[in-house]
Amino acid sequence: MWYAALWLLGLTAVVPAGAQSEDPLRFIRWPVGDVLSAPGSMLTLRTGLTIGVAAGGILAASHFDRGFSHRAERLENATPTRLRKVFHELGNVNVIRPMAVVVFVGALTSSNIHFQDAAFTSLESVIFANLLANGLKLAIGRARPHEKAGPNSVKPFSGSRSFPSGHATTVFAFTTPWIFYYPGIASGALFALGLGTAVARMADQYHWFSDVLGGAFIGFGVGYLLSRRHQRLSHVPSLSLSVNGFSLTWRL
């Protein structure tokens, strides 16, 4: 996995260094604006309908949790342990978050503003999505499959942390911004990483089907919203003034 980060850094290293951005403070302003705009965005009819439909779909899917769990459990002996471990690590926030930081810092050494924005959005998406997922884990308190309490065992603030899947949240939050910043078949294939992680977590009895479905929705949703907002903000007209080598930029 770290080879992928080094490969991305290698790409940025061959780009000649230059002016980092017309607006280097955007990486401070964007997160603040994202947090402040969240309540207003959540109160829109479109967002409410989307969350309602998704919640209803996840609730409906939970009726199949036991059956999917038994099918996924069979994969534990049918797939190599090393392969499952790789997919587990793809969703491990303690691996993905540092890797996202390395990629972002590497992007800052290039003059490719689009790449910088994608790397920053991916990092912010992982952080925000995991904060949301961890809050839901704490509040819902659903037992994991290996605890043998059944899919309907929900005890808020009990310490059980099955719903939503943090691994599915992480991998989808990390990959989704890259898909929207660099749309195409190759970037779309990144969803296969999320699918592999979801199956691996189910196969090893860490999560129910509805857990990984919920995590995928959170990770994708946060990544999508941040990508669209940051792409829109990056195209806001600006007025630049340069005097004796010093430049000032105003967003209009």
Side-chain angles (χ1 to χ4, degrees):
M1 187 176 302
W2 283 96
Y3 291 114
L6 294 175
W7 178 75
L8 287 170
L9 290 179
L11 288 180
T12 63
V14 300
V15 180
Q20 293 301 306
S21 170
E22 294 181 354
D23 182 23
L25 295 180
R26 68 191 185 282
F27 299 132
I28 298 176
R29 190 180 67 253
W30 282 0
V32 174
D34 294 337
V35 172
L36 294 179
S37 65
S41 300
M42 295 294 290
L43 294 176
T44 64
L45 177 61
R46 180 179 178 181
T47 302
L49 288 174
T50 300
I51 295 176
V53 171
I58 294 170
L59 182 62
S62 67
H63 291 288
F64 303 96
D65 278 342
R66 198 180 297 274
F68 275 111
S69 180
H70 290 322
R71 291 184 177 88
E73 193 173 3
R74 298 171 190 168
L75 294 175
E76 186 175 3
N77 297 323
T79 56
T81 302
R82 181 171 296 181
L83 178 62
R84 294 201 314 277
K85 184 177 180 180
V86 168
F87 280 114
H88 280 301
E89 291 304 304
L90 286 173
N92 186 343
V93 69
N94 293 322
V95 173
I96 295 298
R97 190 160 47 201
M99 189 175 79
V101 170
V102 169
V103 173
F104 172 59
V105 172
L108 293 178
T109 66
S110 80
S111 58
N112 189 330
I113 295 176
H114 192 73
F115 186 82
Q116 293 176 10
D117 291 352
F120 177 78
T121 303
S122 179
L123 172 60
E124 185 185 349
S125 177
V126 170
I127 294 173
F128 282 10
N130 272 276
L131 287 174
L132 178 57
N134 286 334
L136 289 173
K137 281 176 176 288
L138 177 65
I140 294 174
R142 190 185 196 189
R144 297 182 185 273
H146 65 73
E147 296 180 65
K148 306 301 182 183
N152 297 321
S153 177
V154 175
K155 297 178 181 179
F157 304 101
S158 63
S160 295
R161 298 169 58 84
S162 189
F163 183 90
S165 167
H167 280 63
T169 298
T170 300
V171 68
F172 277 95
F174 177 73
T175 57
T176 297
W178 294 105
I179 293 170
F180 283 100
Y181 272 90
Y182 294 93
I185 296 176
S187 61
L190 290 173
F191 277 135
L193 301 179
L195 179 61
T197 299
V199 173
R201 297 298 286 175
M202 292 172 60
D204 288 342
Q205 297 291 289
Y206 284 106
H207 287 292
W208 305 99
F209 173 64
S210 55
D211 295 338
V212 298
L213 196 61
F217 173 73
I218 293 171
F220 174 83
V222 172
Y224 168 79
L225 292 174
L226 290 180
S227 297
R228 289 309 189 211
R229 185 174 189 275
H230 293 176
Q231 287 175 325
R232 185 174 65 253
L233 291 174
S234 67
H235 290 91
V236 174
S238 62
L239 176 65
S240 297
L241 174 65
S242 180
V243 180
N244 295 328
F246 295 94
S247 61
L248 297 174
T249 302
W250 290 272
R251 291 292 177 183
L252 302 178

